[in-house]
């Protein structure tokens, strides 16, 4: 089985080719099209399948269940569901039937991973970040709740949960940490590099040319004595003509 992502204008399609030694290859064109339609001064969001039939459950979810959400939220939900339905068609299974292995494959699909195996080769073009994939997974959980499906691999949580509280609220909110969510990449924080002795000498030369003994004292206190900036500048009583320091 080969899955190949292609771009046709603004539309994403997937070409699924099933080959065997004794049969002709079977090629299937898989796509989902997310659109918006304005009627009676209201915007409706629709998703068409490969046969240009409207996904009724998605229509009800986005336009009714999310009717109190912002336009941007509904657009993102519609877009996320579009790729979920494509993946359903690719593996021939409804999201309600997904097991943990299917969720893992779905995440690979959303991330744009292109694994090659003995039975399945995938060639994808679109790459998505951890944050985007997590947003899509959150949409899928809400969609499953809308379908009244409460037991699902997407709802499995880890042993930890975050408790958050709004600044203007006394109500604490417990936020579960879902096993299927990707963690945000940890940013490496490096200690700033110290300036060299030669660089320090160059700074002193410049200070002696354009400034006074007071500025040289401040710089020496920081470099040679380890004072922080705030500590150094707090010595406002230092004046070049009053100091007897021999530097």
């Amino acid at each position: 089985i080969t899955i190949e992502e292609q771009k046709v204008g603004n539309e994403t399609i997937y070409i699924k080719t099933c080959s065997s030694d004794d049969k002709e290859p079977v090629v299937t064109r898989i796509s989902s099209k997310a659109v918006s339609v304005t009627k009676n001064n209201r915007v409706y969001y629709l998703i068409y399948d490969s046969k240009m039939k409207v996904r009724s459950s998605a229509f009800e979810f986005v336009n009714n269940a999310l009717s109190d959400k912002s336009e941007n939220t509904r657009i993102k939900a519609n877009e996320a569901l579009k790729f979920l339905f494509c993946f359903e068609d690719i593996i021939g299974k409804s999201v309600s039937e997904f097991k943990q292995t299917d969720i893992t494959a779905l995440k690979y699909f959303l991330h744009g991973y292109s694994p090659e195996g003995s039975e399945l080769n995938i060639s994808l073009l679109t790459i998505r970040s951890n944050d985007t994939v997590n947003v899509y997974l959150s949409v899928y959980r809400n969609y499953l709740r809308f379908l009244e499906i409460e037991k699902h691999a997407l709802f499995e949580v880890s042993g930890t949960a975050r408790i958050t509280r709004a600044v203007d609220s006394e109500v604490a909110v417990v936020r579960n940490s879902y096993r299927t969510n990707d963690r945000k990449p940890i940013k490496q924080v490096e200690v700033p590099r110290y300036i060299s002795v030669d660089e320090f000498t160059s700074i002193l030369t410049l200070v002696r040319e354009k400034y006074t003994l007071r500025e040289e004292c401040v710089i020496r206190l920081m470099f040679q004595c380890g004072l922080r900036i705030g500590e150094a500048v707090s010595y406002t009583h230092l004046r070049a003509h009053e100091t007897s320091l021999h530097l």
Side-chain angles (χ1 to χ4, degrees):
I1 301 176
T2 301
I3 308 296
E4 181 184 1
E5 179 182 352
Q6 296 181 359
K7 298 289 186 181
V8 180
N10 295 327
E11 186 179 358
T12 300
I13 64 173
Y14 302 92
I15 305 300
K16 179 179 180 180
T17 305
C18 300
S19 304
S20 61
D21 295 335
D22 55 346
K23 295 181 181 179
E24 289 292 326
V26 178
V27 180
T28 306
R29 184 181 185 275
I30 297 172
S31 67
S32 286
K33 189 174 182 180
V35 300
S36 61
V37 176
T38 302
K39 186 175 181 179
N40 298 329
N41 296 323
R42 180 182 174 183
V43 179
Y44 295 91
Y45 299 93
L46 302 87
I47 298 178
Y48 293 101
D49 63 14
S50 300
K51 298 180 180 179
M52 290 305 292
K53 293 184 178 179
V54 175
R55 302 269 189 174
S56 58
S57 59
F59 179 89
E60 295 292 335
F61 171 68
V62 176
N63 295 287
N64 294 334
L66 301 182
S67 60
D68 60 334
K69 304 298 181 181
S70 68
E71 180 180 357
N72 190 47
T73 297
R74 285 180 285 163
I75 292 174
K76 287 183 178 180
N78 214 39
E79 188 75 7
L81 289 174
K82 177 181 74 173
F83 294 109
L84 173 64
F85 296 142
C86 283
F87 185 75
E88 284 184 343
D89 292 342
I90 288 173
I91 67 173
K93 187 185 292 187
S94 171
V95 64
S96 61
E97 303 171 310
F98 282 9
K99 305 300 182 184
Q100 188 59 54
T101 53
D102 300 316
I103 300 299
T104 302
L106 171 63
K107 289 171 61 178
Y108 285 171
F109 173 76
L110 294 174
H111 275 296
Y113 298 157
S114 299
E116 293 186 2
S118 58
E119 296 182 356
L120 177 65
N121 293 325
I122 300 179
S123 177
L124 301 175
L125 301 175
T126 306
I127 298 176
R128 300 179 182 86
S129 66
N130 286 3
D131 286 342
T132 299
V133 172
N134 287 341
V135 169
Y136 282 14
L137 295 178
S138 177
V139 171
Y140 303 156
R141 291 188 191 97
N142 290 330
Y143 178 63
L144 288 170
R145 294 186 183 100
F146 169 76
L147 297 177
E148 299 182 349
I149 299 173
E150 296 295 336
K151 292 184 179 181
H152 195 277
L154 276 173
F155 293 129
E156 292 183 7
V157 298
S158 63
T160 59
R162 294 185 297 108
I163 301 178
T164 60
R165 188 193 306 271
V167 177
D168 57 347
S169 174
E170 297 182 357
V171 180
V173 179
V174 178
R175 299 187 183 278
N176 291 317
S177 178
Y178 294 102
R179 292 185 184 275
T180 50
N181 275 16
D182 288 322
R183 294 182 179 180
K184 293 184 178 180
I186 299 175
K187 294 182 179 179
Q188 298 295 331
V189 179
E190 297 182 359
V191 177
R193 171 173 73 88
Y194 290 103
I195 65 173
S196 66
V197 174
D198 291 338
E199 290 172 329
F200 177 63
T201 302
S202 299
I203 292 174
L204 283 183
T205 301
L206 178 63
V207 168
R208 287 168 179 170
E209 291 177 354
K210 297 188 176 183
Y211 297 93
T212 66
L213 185 59
R214 177 180 58 185
E215 283 75 26
E216 182 174 344
C217 288
V218 171
I219 291 173
R220 282 186 176 274
L221 285 170
M222 293 174 63
F223 183 80
Q224 296 177 300
C225 302
L227 267 67
R228 299 182 179 90
I229 294 177
E231 295 170 332
V233 299
S234 66
Y235 290 98
T236 55
H237 62 283
L238 289 176
R239 292 182 175 85
H241 66 275
E242 292 179 346
T243 183
S244 61
L245 293 176
H246 299 285
L247 305 173

